[in-house]
Amino acid sequence: MQIARVALDVPLATLFDYFLAENMTVVEGQRVLVPFGRKQVVGIVLALSDTTELAPERIKAVEQVLEDVPPLPAELLKLLKFCSDYYHHPVGMTVLSALPTRLRGCQPVSLKQVLSYHLSLNGQVLDLTSLPKRKAVQLRLLTALQNNVLSTAQVRAISPTAPAALKLLIEAGWVETTAEHAKQQKFSFNEAHQLTQEQQTAVDAVNQALGYQTFLLHGITGSGKTEVYVHLLHQVLQRGGQVLLLVPEINLTPQLEYYFRSRFPDTELVSLHSGLSEGERTQNWLLAQAGQARIILGTRLAVFTPLPELALIIVDEEHDASFKQQDGLRYSARDVAIFRANGRGVPIVLGSATPSLESYYNARSGRYTLLKLGQRASALAQLPSVRCINISNALLPEGISKELLTALGECLLRGEQSLVFINRRGYAPVLMCTACGWLSDCPHCAGKMVLHLNDRRLRCHHCGYQTRVPYGCPTCGNADLQPVGIGTQRIETVLQTHFPEARVLRVDRDSTRNKGTWNAMRQQIQDEAVDILVGTQMLAKGHDFHNLTLVCVLNPDNALYSADFRASEKLFAQLAQVAGRAGRGDKPGEVLVQTSFPDHPLFRALREHDYDSWAATLLTEREQAGFPPFVFQVLLRAEGKQEEEVYNFMQQARSHAADLAMQVEIYGVVPAAMPRRANHIRVHLLVQSDTRKNLQQFVRSWRPQLEALPARNIRWSLDIDPLEF
DNA sequence: AGCACGCCGACT
DNA sequence: GTCGGCGTGCTC
């Protein structure tokens, strides 16, 4: 009797054995419906065998083999097994979490027929000049349809709103659809720019790669990394390959999606990210799996898409922390992508203006190939000048120095845009009583509640708890409560009073909460209907505002001497990124940083646009302190309501680790950076080693012991290569 | 993770 | 005498 070994979505490190009926054929990677407990669930067959360790009477039979979707390719299964093993996450949960939700159920799914669009008889005689001008997208669609039959990809390349406009045209009876077999795609791109010498060298190097090779594309902001990607895509597509392009966050994917669609209008491109509806995500996944989609643009979850013709992987902004998943399978999509490229024997390009120290170190030591773009692609666009404003002796009750206000005023007079960057939303990070010193502590967390003045509420940014702003101090009754520190709302107010005639726009998670708002705001900025932008890191990424010439950074200092050893690395990346927003057009840009430590090496490197010297400084520090990338880490996190229970669990975990006496360094049991969140005490235990191998060996012995520990009211997890503490 | 079974307190 | 609290143990 044949046995199928099935991965199921349960937190157990094992596979489950099922009999296969004589008439059933199944291959590895196929979905099956099996009885489990008293339910029926969907699992993935990971192995076939003739034998089993279990008593035959305990084994049930596979109910049904699901054949609506082709089996997952062996390469993907191998990748998932590796992730389960490396990140110490149950194999079934790893495998199932890589699938779109629809495929985790037993409802059959199918790839929808590809449609093409053409003018109906009515549409052909339609007088386009009779249509109102404001229906611009409809007009563009109709014009395009006069010469051609259009595919869905071509429709989408016309405008982000084209699918909606097309629907109206179909309803009006002007456009008809035909089901068409996937036809020949063309892989040429629009608007070929002349590459700079540096760009050409980078493109050539990747094109000449034979099989697996990791490239670190280190290109300063504005150096035209995207153009390098476009040329690489072009080459790979011509040769019949699929390209996986990973990007950090969903905010940016719609823009990038439209950008790549318009550059490759006749190529099938799909996006994959958590912002898609379940149906869309499934369809896009199926298109990728079928090899029909040639460009796959997605966030970290896209790294697990089956891609039969995968020929190149690009990870854009590879230093970005959002490639690391912070719950469940705590994987780094960048690292998984490298492993995948290696397994598939294809090149991978990591792109960044400020590479992660890990990648930079690997490039320096020769494991990766370093490709540098040191000049801006447009001869007109120079790097912005960066200047620090020393505020160590200044008292700034409103958060902004005179120099900064002057610069903002001048920029306003020139009719140019400026950006004020503070990484703190709300009005003020804390409210204080001037009489007794009471602070607005969150009752459930170790943090402070942030003052939001627009709706007069105090909010905890960690657990979401909120209350009305009290009329008087809750402890002494004093009516004089003062906001302490500055947030985006406060700066917005201050700037509006200083420059009553200026159009100030605040962009943060609060002001863009409603769907579509951020898009509308972006348009407003593009149309130059805004003079001063105030915002958080949302504004730092990837936007190209041509009239923006001044960037002001308010209070970056707390990251300089933070307990988190990666804080200054992150700050440099963030400041370089936000500084890169200035002067992207033909006007020179200026960056002003308000700091009490203008001589700090970080600011020196930033002023000189010298990533290399900064990275060298950090690498020296890290080597001396024994931190990554010179060591490898695993973090055991635990949390629970009873402090004593959590510490007790951790102490036991620690003594087991010590008893193993392996080649690892075990640190103490310490509170997390946020020691209490939503009434849960959070505690960490760090273990590190000189080699990945020793660390992995250690965790393999340690984890079964952790699982055997009594952990009644405790949630714990292992985080390999942790980024956050 | 679910979802059972199982053994002790307040209700018709 | 039963309904239901959530403690512990299993799922091929």
Short mmCIF file of all heavy atoms in Angstrom, two decimals, chain A residues 596-654:
data_model
loop_
_atom_site.label_atom_id
_atom_site.label_comp_id
_atom_site.label_asym_id
_atom_site.label_seq_id
_atom_site.Cartn_x
_atom_site.Cartn_y
_atom_site.Cartn_z
N SER A 596 22.02 67.98 17.61
CA SER A 596 22.92 68.43 18.67
C SER A 596 24.31 67.85 18.49
O SER A 596 25.22 68.16 19.24
CB SER A 596 22.37 68.00 20.04
OG SER A 596 21.12 68.60 20.26
N PHE A 597 24.47 66.96 17.53
CA PHE A 597 25.76 66.30 17.34
C PHE A 597 26.23 66.42 15.89
O PHE A 597 26.40 65.41 15.20
CB PHE A 597 25.67 64.82 17.73
CG PHE A 597 25.06 64.60 19.08
CD1 PHE A 597 23.70 64.29 19.22
CD2 PHE A 597 25.84 64.72 20.23
CE1 PHE A 597 23.15 64.09 20.47
CE2 PHE A 597 25.27 64.52 21.48
CZ PHE A 597 23.93 64.21 21.61
N PRO A 598 26.46 67.66 15.43
CA PRO A 598 26.80 67.84 14.01
C PRO A 598 28.11 67.16 13.61
O PRO A 598 28.33 66.94 12.44
CB PRO A 598 26.90 69.36 13.85
CG PRO A 598 27.07 69.89 15.23
CD PRO A 598 26.42 68.94 16.16
N ASP A 599 28.96 66.82 14.62
CA ASP A 599 30.24 66.22 14.27
C ASP A 599 30.20 64.70 14.28
O ASP A 599 31.21 64.03 14.07
CB ASP A 599 31.32 66.70 15.25
CG ASP A 599 31.51 68.20 15.14
OD1 ASP A 599 31.40 68.71 14.00
OD2 ASP A 599 31.70 68.86 16.18
N HIS A 600 29.03 64.16 14.58
CA HIS A 600 28.90 62.69 14.58
C HIS A 600 29.28 62.15 13.19
O HIS A 600 28.93 62.73 12.17
CB HIS A 600 27.46 62.32 14.92
CG HIS A 600 27.28 60.86 15.21
ND1 HIS A 600 27.27 59.91 14.22
CD2 HIS A 600 27.13 60.19 16.38
CE1 HIS A 600 27.10 58.72 14.78
NE2 HIS A 600 27.01 58.86 16.09
N PRO A 601 30.04 61.03 13.16
CA PRO A 601 30.48 60.48 11.87
C PRO A 601 29.32 60.22 10.89
O PRO A 601 29.51 60.31 9.67
CB PRO A 601 31.17 59.17 12.24
CG PRO A 601 31.14 59.04 13.72
CD PRO A 601 30.62 60.31 14.31
N LEU A 602 28.14 59.94 11.44
CA LEU A 602 27.00 59.70 10.56
C LEU A 602 26.71 60.93 9.70
O LEU A 602 26.54 60.84 8.50
CB LEU A 602 25.76 59.32 11.38
CG LEU A 602 24.52 58.88 10.60
CD1 LEU A 602 23.69 57.91 11.44
CD2 LEU A 602 23.62 60.03 10.16
N PHE A 603 26.70 62.10 10.36
CA PHE A 603 26.37 63.32 9.61
C PHE A 603 27.52 63.72 8.69
O PHE A 603 27.30 64.26 7.63
CB PHE A 603 26.03 64.45 10.58
CG PHE A 603 24.77 64.16 11.37
CD1 PHE A 603 24.80 64.18 12.75
CD2 PHE A 603 23.59 63.86 10.72
CE1 PHE A 603 23.65 63.91 13.48
CE2 PHE A 603 22.44 63.58 11.44
CZ PHE A 603 22.47 63.60 12.82
N ARG A 604 28.76 63.43 9.13
CA ARG A 604 29.90 63.74 8.28
C ARG A 604 29.77 62.95 6.97
O ARG A 604 29.90 63.50 5.88
CB ARG A 604 31.21 63.41 9.01
CG ARG A 604 32.36 64.30 8.58
CD ARG A 604 33.65 63.92 9.30
NE ARG A 604 33.48 63.74 10.73
CZ ARG A 604 34.06 62.75 11.41
NH1 ARG A 604 34.81 61.86 10.79
NH2 ARG A 604 33.87 62.65 12.71
N ALA A 605 29.47 61.66 7.13
CA ALA A 605 29.34 60.81 5.93
C ALA A 605 28.17 61.27 5.07
O ALA A 605 28.24 61.28 3.84
CB ALA A 605 29.15 59.35 6.35
N LEU A 606 27.10 61.68 5.72
CA LEU A 606 25.91 62.12 4.99
C LEU A 606 26.21 63.38 4.19
O LEU A 606 25.82 63.51 3.03
CB LEU A 606 24.78 62.39 5.99
CG LEU A 606 23.38 62.56 5.41
CD1 LEU A 606 22.85 61.23 4.87
CD2 LEU A 606 22.42 63.10 6.47
N ARG A 607 26.94 64.33 4.82
CA ARG A 607 27.31 65.57 4.14
C ARG A 607 28.16 65.30 2.92
O ARG A 607 28.02 65.94 1.89
CB ARG A 607 28.12 66.47 5.10
CG ARG A 607 27.28 67.28 6.05
CD ARG A 607 28.11 68.41 6.66
NE ARG A 607 29.18 67.93 7.53
CZ ARG A 607 29.03 67.71 8.84
NH1 ARG A 607 27.88 67.95 9.41
NH2 ARG A 607 30.04 67.28 9.57
N GLU A 608 29.06 64.30 3.07
CA GLU A 608 29.98 64.02 1.97
C GLU A 608 29.44 62.97 1.01
O GLU A 608 30.14 62.54 0.10
CB GLU A 608 31.34 63.60 2.54
CG GLU A 608 32.09 64.79 3.12
CD GLU A 608 33.10 64.39 4.18
OE1 GLU A 608 33.52 63.21 4.19
OE2 GLU A 608 33.46 65.27 5.00
N HIS A 609 28.22 62.53 1.23
CA HIS A 609 27.60 61.48 0.40
C HIS A 609 28.54 60.29 0.32
O HIS A 609 28.78 59.73 -0.73
CB HIS A 609 27.29 62.01 -1.00
CG HIS A 609 26.41 63.22 -0.97
ND1 HIS A 609 25.06 63.13 -0.70
CD2 HIS A 609 26.69 64.54 -1.12
CE1 HIS A 609 24.54 64.35 -0.70
NE2 HIS A 609 25.50 65.21 -0.94
N ASP A 610 29.09 59.94 1.47
CA ASP A 610 30.11 58.90 1.48
C ASP A 610 29.61 57.69 2.26
O ASP A 610 29.93 57.50 3.43
CB ASP A 610 31.39 59.48 2.11
CG ASP A 610 32.56 58.54 1.94
OD1 ASP A 610 32.36 57.42 1.43
OD2 ASP A 610 33.67 58.93 2.32
N TYR A 611 28.83 56.88 1.58
CA TYR A 611 28.35 55.66 2.21
C TYR A 611 29.51 54.78 2.63
O TYR A 611 29.50 54.18 3.70
CB TYR A 611 27.41 54.91 1.27
CG TYR A 611 27.07 53.51 1.77
CD1 TYR A 611 26.01 53.30 2.62
CD2 TYR A 611 27.86 52.42 1.40
CE1 TYR A 611 25.73 52.03 3.11
CE2 TYR A 611 27.58 51.15 1.88
CZ TYR A 611 26.52 50.96 2.74
OH TYR A 611 26.26 49.71 3.22
N ASP A 612 30.52 54.67 1.76
CA ASP A 612 31.61 53.72 2.02
C ASP A 612 32.33 53.98 3.33
O ASP A 612 32.59 53.05 4.08
CB ASP A 612 32.61 53.73 0.85
CG ASP A 612 31.96 53.18 -0.41
OD1 ASP A 612 31.84 51.95 -0.52
OD2 ASP A 612 31.54 53.99 -1.25
N SER A 613 32.61 55.27 3.61
CA SER A 613 33.34 55.53 4.85
C SER A 613 32.43 55.26 6.06
O SER A 613 32.87 54.76 7.09
CB SER A 613 33.86 56.96 4.88
OG SER A 613 32.82 57.85 5.21
N TRP A 614 31.16 55.57 5.90
CA TRP A 614 30.21 55.29 6.97
C TRP A 614 30.12 53.79 7.23
O TRP A 614 30.20 53.33 8.37
CB TRP A 614 28.84 55.86 6.59
CG TRP A 614 27.72 55.44 7.50
CD1 TRP A 614 26.62 54.72 7.16
CD2 TRP A 614 27.61 55.71 8.91
NE1 TRP A 614 25.82 54.53 8.25
CE2 TRP A 614 26.40 55.12 9.34
CE3 TRP A 614 28.41 56.39 9.82
CZ2 TRP A 614 25.97 55.19 10.66
CZ3 TRP A 614 27.98 56.45 11.16
CH2 TRP A 614 26.78 55.86 11.55
N ALA A 615 29.99 53.03 6.17
CA ALA A 615 29.90 51.57 6.32
C ALA A 615 31.16 51.03 6.95
O ALA A 615 31.11 50.14 7.81
CB ALA A 615 29.66 50.93 4.95
N ALA A 616 32.33 51.60 6.57
CA ALA A 616 33.60 51.14 7.16
C ALA A 616 33.60 51.41 8.66
O ALA A 616 34.00 50.55 9.45
CB ALA A 616 34.76 51.85 6.48
N THR A 617 33.11 52.60 9.06
CA THR A 617 33.03 52.93 10.49
C THR A 617 32.16 51.91 11.22
O THR A 617 32.54 51.36 12.25
CB THR A 617 32.38 54.32 10.67
OG1 THR A 617 33.05 55.25 9.84
CG2 THR A 617 32.42 54.77 12.11
N LEU A 618 30.98 51.65 10.65
CA LEU A 618 30.05 50.72 11.30
C LEU A 618 30.64 49.32 11.37
O LEU A 618 30.53 48.64 12.39
CB LEU A 618 28.73 50.67 10.54
CG LEU A 618 27.79 51.86 10.69
CD1 LEU A 618 26.49 51.60 9.96
CD2 LEU A 618 27.50 52.15 12.16
N LEU A 619 31.27 48.89 10.29
CA LEU A 619 31.81 47.53 10.27
C LEU A 619 32.90 47.36 11.34
O LEU A 619 32.95 46.33 12.01
CB LEU A 619 32.36 47.19 8.88
CG LEU A 619 31.29 46.81 7.84
CD1 LEU A 619 31.91 46.65 6.46
CD2 LEU A 619 30.56 45.52 8.23
N THR A 620 33.72 48.41 11.51
CA THR A 620 34.74 48.34 12.56
C THR A 620 34.08 48.20 13.93
O THR A 620 34.45 47.33 14.73
CB THR A 620 35.60 49.63 12.53
OG1 THR A 620 35.97 49.87 11.18
CG2 THR A 620 36.82 49.49 13.39
N GLU A 621 33.08 49.04 14.16
CA GLU A 621 32.34 48.97 15.44
C GLU A 621 31.75 47.59 15.67
O GLU A 621 31.87 47.00 16.75
CB GLU A 621 31.16 49.94 15.40
CG GLU A 621 31.48 51.36 15.83
CD GLU A 621 30.25 52.24 15.69
OE1 GLU A 621 29.09 51.74 15.81
OE2 GLU A 621 30.45 53.43 15.43
N ARG A 622 31.10 47.08 14.63
CA ARG A 622 30.43 45.79 14.77
C ARG A 622 31.43 44.66 15.02
O ARG A 622 31.16 43.75 15.80
CB ARG A 622 29.64 45.47 13.49
CG ARG A 622 28.52 46.45 13.18
CD ARG A 622 27.23 46.09 13.86
NE ARG A 622 26.20 47.04 13.46
CZ ARG A 622 25.35 46.82 12.46
NH1 ARG A 622 25.37 45.69 11.81
NH2 ARG A 622 24.45 47.73 12.15
N GLU A 623 32.56 44.76 14.35
CA GLU A 623 33.56 43.70 14.54
C GLU A 623 34.09 43.72 15.96
O GLU A 623 34.21 42.68 16.61
CB GLU A 623 34.70 43.87 13.53
CG GLU A 623 35.67 42.69 13.58
CD GLU A 623 36.60 42.62 12.38
OE1 GLU A 623 36.78 43.66 11.70
OE2 GLU A 623 37.13 41.53 12.12
N GLN A 624 34.36 44.94 16.46
CA GLN A 624 34.88 45.05 17.81
C GLN A 624 33.87 44.60 18.85
O GLN A 624 34.20 43.95 19.82
CB GLN A 624 35.30 46.50 18.09
CG GLN A 624 36.65 46.80 17.48
CD GLN A 624 36.94 48.29 17.44
OE1 GLN A 624 36.13 49.11 17.90
NE2 GLN A 624 38.08 48.65 16.88
N ALA A 625 32.59 44.94 18.61
CA ALA A 625 31.56 44.61 19.59
C ALA A 625 31.07 43.17 19.42
O ALA A 625 30.32 42.66 20.26
CB ALA A 625 30.39 45.58 19.45
N GLY A 626 31.47 42.52 18.34
CA GLY A 626 31.00 41.15 18.10
C GLY A 626 29.53 41.10 17.73
O GLY A 626 28.75 40.35 18.30
N PHE A 627 29.16 41.94 16.78
CA PHE A 627 27.77 41.98 16.30
C PHE A 627 27.72 41.54 14.84
O PHE A 627 28.74 41.52 14.16
CB PHE A 627 27.23 43.40 16.41
CG PHE A 627 26.79 43.80 17.79
CD1 PHE A 627 27.07 45.08 18.28
CD2 PHE A 627 26.08 42.92 18.60
CE1 PHE A 627 26.66 45.47 19.55
CE2 PHE A 627 25.67 43.30 19.86
CZ PHE A 627 25.97 44.57 20.34
N PRO A 628 26.52 41.25 14.32
CA PRO A 628 26.39 40.97 12.90
C PRO A 628 26.95 42.13 12.08
O PRO A 628 26.87 43.26 12.53
CB PRO A 628 24.87 40.85 12.69
CG PRO A 628 24.32 40.54 14.03
CD PRO A 628 25.23 41.23 15.00
N PRO A 629 27.51 41.92 10.88
CA PRO A 629 27.55 40.63 10.17
C PRO A 629 28.70 39.71 10.57
O PRO A 629 28.95 38.74 9.87
CB PRO A 629 27.71 41.08 8.72
CG PRO A 629 28.41 42.38 8.79
CD PRO A 629 28.01 43.02 10.07
N PHE A 630 29.37 40.00 11.70
CA PHE A 630 30.50 39.14 12.09
C PHE A 630 30.07 37.94 12.91
O PHE A 630 30.85 37.03 13.13
CB PHE A 630 31.54 39.99 12.84
CG PHE A 630 32.10 41.08 11.97
CD1 PHE A 630 31.54 42.36 12.00
CD2 PHE A 630 33.12 40.82 11.08
CE1 PHE A 630 32.03 43.36 11.18
CE2 PHE A 630 33.61 41.81 10.25
CZ PHE A 630 33.07 43.09 10.29
N VAL A 631 28.84 37.98 13.41
CA VAL A 631 28.31 36.81 14.12
C VAL A 631 26.88 36.56 13.62
O VAL A 631 26.30 37.42 12.94
CB VAL A 631 28.25 37.04 15.65
CG1 VAL A 631 29.63 37.21 16.23
CG2 VAL A 631 27.37 38.23 15.98
N PHE A 632 26.35 35.41 13.96
CA PHE A 632 24.98 35.07 13.57
C PHE A 632 24.17 34.88 14.83
O PHE A 632 24.66 34.37 15.83
CB PHE A 632 25.00 33.82 12.70
CG PHE A 632 25.83 34.02 11.47
CD1 PHE A 632 27.17 33.64 11.45
CD2 PHE A 632 25.29 34.65 10.36
CE1 PHE A 632 27.95 33.88 10.33
CE2 PHE A 632 26.07 34.90 9.24
CZ PHE A 632 27.39 34.51 9.22
N GLN A 633 22.91 35.34 14.77
CA GLN A 633 22.12 35.38 16.00
C GLN A 633 20.81 34.62 15.90
O GLN A 633 20.23 34.50 14.81
CB GLN A 633 21.78 36.84 16.34
CG GLN A 633 22.99 37.73 16.52
CD GLN A 633 22.62 39.15 16.88
OE1 GLN A 633 21.69 39.71 16.32
NE2 GLN A 633 23.34 39.73 17.82
N VAL A 634 20.36 34.12 17.04
CA VAL A 634 18.98 33.66 17.15
C VAL A 634 18.41 34.30 18.42
O VAL A 634 19.10 34.39 19.44
CB VAL A 634 18.86 32.12 17.21
CG1 VAL A 634 19.72 31.52 18.30
CG2 VAL A 634 17.40 31.70 17.40
N LEU A 635 17.19 34.77 18.32
CA LEU A 635 16.56 35.43 19.46
C LEU A 635 15.34 34.61 19.89
O LEU A 635 14.48 34.29 19.07
CB LEU A 635 16.11 36.83 19.05
CG LEU A 635 15.56 37.71 20.16
CD1 LEU A 635 16.67 38.11 21.12
CD2 LEU A 635 14.88 38.95 19.60
N LEU A 636 15.32 34.24 21.17
CA LEU A 636 14.12 33.61 21.71
C LEU A 636 13.28 34.71 22.33
O LEU A 636 13.74 35.44 23.21
CB LEU A 636 14.48 32.55 22.77
CG LEU A 636 13.30 31.93 23.51
CD1 LEU A 636 12.40 31.13 22.58
CD2 LEU A 636 13.79 31.04 24.66
N ARG A 637 12.04 34.85 21.82
CA ARG A 637 11.13 35.84 22.38
C ARG A 637 10.07 35.11 23.17
O ARG A 637 9.60 34.05 22.73
CB ARG A 637 10.40 36.61 21.27
CG ARG A 637 11.26 37.25 20.24
CD ARG A 637 10.42 37.49 18.99
NE ARG A 637 11.21 38.12 17.96
CZ ARG A 637 11.45 39.42 17.91
NH1 ARG A 637 10.94 40.23 18.81
NH2 ARG A 637 12.20 39.91 16.96
N ALA A 638 9.66 35.69 24.30
CA ALA A 638 8.56 35.10 25.04
C ALA A 638 7.73 36.22 25.63
O ALA A 638 8.26 37.27 25.98
CB ALA A 638 9.09 34.19 26.15
N GLU A 639 6.43 36.01 25.69
CA GLU A 639 5.60 36.99 26.35
C GLU A 639 4.41 36.34 27.03
O GLU A 639 3.95 35.26 26.64
CB GLU A 639 5.13 38.09 25.38
CG GLU A 639 4.31 37.61 24.21
CD GLU A 639 3.76 38.80 23.41
OE1 GLU A 639 4.57 39.47 22.77
OE2 GLU A 639 2.53 39.03 23.46
N GLY A 640 3.97 36.99 28.12
CA GLY A 640 2.85 36.46 28.88
C GLY A 640 2.39 37.51 29.87
O GLY A 640 3.06 38.52 30.06
N LYS A 641 1.25 37.25 30.50
CA LYS A 641 0.71 38.27 31.41
C LYS A 641 1.43 38.30 32.74
O LYS A 641 1.56 39.35 33.36
CB LYS A 641 -0.79 38.04 31.62
CG LYS A 641 -1.58 38.35 30.35
CD LYS A 641 -3.05 38.47 30.60
CE LYS A 641 -3.71 38.98 29.32
NZ LYS A 641 -5.14 38.72 29.26
N GLN A 642 1.90 37.13 33.20
CA GLN A 642 2.58 37.07 34.49
C GLN A 642 4.08 37.18 34.30
O GLN A 642 4.70 36.29 33.71
CB GLN A 642 2.25 35.75 35.21
CG GLN A 642 0.79 35.58 35.58
CD GLN A 642 0.25 36.73 36.39
OE1 GLN A 642 -0.72 37.37 35.99
NE2 GLN A 642 0.89 37.01 37.53
N GLU A 643 4.64 38.24 34.82
CA GLU A 643 6.07 38.47 34.68
C GLU A 643 6.87 37.26 35.16
O GLU A 643 7.80 36.80 34.51
CB GLU A 643 6.45 39.72 35.49
CG GLU A 643 7.90 40.08 35.35
CD GLU A 643 8.19 41.53 35.72
OE1 GLU A 643 7.22 42.26 36.02
OE2 GLU A 643 9.37 41.90 35.73
N GLU A 644 6.46 36.71 36.32
CA GLU A 644 7.21 35.63 36.92
C GLU A 644 7.20 34.39 36.03
O GLU A 644 8.23 33.74 35.84
CB GLU A 644 6.59 35.31 38.29
CG GLU A 644 7.55 34.63 39.23
CD GLU A 644 6.82 34.09 40.45
OE1 GLU A 644 6.03 34.87 41.05
OE2 GLU A 644 7.03 32.92 40.77
N GLU A 645 6.04 34.08 35.46
CA GLU A 645 5.95 32.91 34.57
C GLU A 645 6.87 33.05 33.36
O GLU A 645 7.53 32.10 32.96
CB GLU A 645 4.50 32.75 34.08
CG GLU A 645 3.56 32.17 35.12
CD GLU A 645 2.13 32.06 34.60
OE1 GLU A 645 1.82 32.65 33.54
OE2 GLU A 645 1.34 31.38 35.26
N VAL A 646 6.87 34.27 32.78
CA VAL A 646 7.68 34.48 31.58
C VAL A 646 9.16 34.33 31.91
O VAL A 646 9.90 33.64 31.20
CB VAL A 646 7.42 35.88 30.98
CG1 VAL A 646 8.17 36.04 29.67
CG2 VAL A 646 5.93 36.08 30.73
N TYR A 647 9.60 34.96 33.02
CA TYR A 647 11.01 34.87 33.38
C TYR A 647 11.40 33.45 33.75
O TYR A 647 12.48 32.97 33.42
CB TYR A 647 11.35 35.86 34.50
CG TYR A 647 11.66 37.23 33.96
CD1 TYR A 647 10.66 38.19 33.81
CD2 TYR A 647 12.95 37.55 33.55
CE1 TYR A 647 10.94 39.44 33.28
CE2 TYR A 647 13.24 38.80 33.02
CZ TYR A 647 12.23 39.74 32.88
OH TYR A 647 12.51 40.97 32.35
N ASN A 648 10.48 32.77 34.42
CA ASN A 648 10.72 31.39 34.80
C ASN A 648 10.96 30.52 33.56
O ASN A 648 11.91 29.76 33.46
CB ASN A 648 9.52 30.89 35.61
CG ASN A 648 9.79 29.54 36.22
OD1 ASN A 648 10.96 29.20 36.45
ND2 ASN A 648 8.74 28.77 36.45
N PHE A 649 10.09 30.70 32.57
CA PHE A 649 10.22 29.97 31.31
C PHE A 649 11.58 30.27 30.67
O PHE A 649 12.31 29.37 30.25
CB PHE A 649 9.08 30.36 30.36
CG PHE A 649 9.26 29.85 28.95
CD1 PHE A 649 8.83 28.57 28.62
CD2 PHE A 649 9.84 30.64 27.98
CE1 PHE A 649 9.00 28.08 27.32
CE2 PHE A 649 10.01 30.17 26.68
CZ PHE A 649 9.59 28.88 26.36
N MET A 650 11.92 31.55 30.63
CA MET A 650 13.15 31.96 29.98
C MET A 650 14.37 31.42 30.71
O MET A 650 15.36 31.02 30.09
CB MET A 650 13.22 33.48 29.88
CG MET A 650 12.36 34.04 28.79
SD MET A 650 12.80 33.37 27.17
CE MET A 650 12.99 34.87 26.24
N GLN A 651 14.33 31.43 32.04
CA GLN A 651 15.47 30.91 32.80
C GLN A 651 15.68 29.43 32.51
O GLN A 651 16.80 28.97 32.36
CB GLN A 651 15.27 31.15 34.30
CG GLN A 651 15.42 32.60 34.75
CD GLN A 651 16.77 33.22 34.36
OE1 GLN A 651 17.71 32.54 33.96
NE2 GLN A 651 16.86 34.55 34.45
N GLN A 652 14.57 28.70 32.42
CA GLN A 652 14.68 27.28 32.09
C GLN A 652 15.25 27.10 30.69
O GLN A 652 16.10 26.24 30.46
CB GLN A 652 13.31 26.60 32.19
CG GLN A 652 12.81 26.47 33.61
CD GLN A 652 11.48 25.72 33.64
OE1 GLN A 652 11.41 24.59 33.22
NE2 GLN A 652 10.45 26.40 34.11
N ALA A 653 14.75 27.92 29.76
CA ALA A 653 15.25 27.86 28.38
C ALA A 653 16.74 28.12 28.37
O ALA A 653 17.52 27.45 27.69
CB ALA A 653 14.51 28.88 27.51
N ARG A 654 17.16 29.09 29.18
CA ARG A 654 18.57 29.46 29.21
C ARG A 654 19.42 28.34 29.80
O ARG A 654 20.50 28.03 29.30
CB ARG A 654 18.76 30.74 30.03
CG ARG A 654 20.14 31.32 29.85
CD ARG A 654 20.35 32.63 30.59
NE ARG A 654 21.66 33.17 30.24
CZ ARG A 654 22.79 32.69 30.71
NH1 ARG A 654 22.79 31.66 31.56
NH2 ARG A 654 23.95 33.20 30.33
#
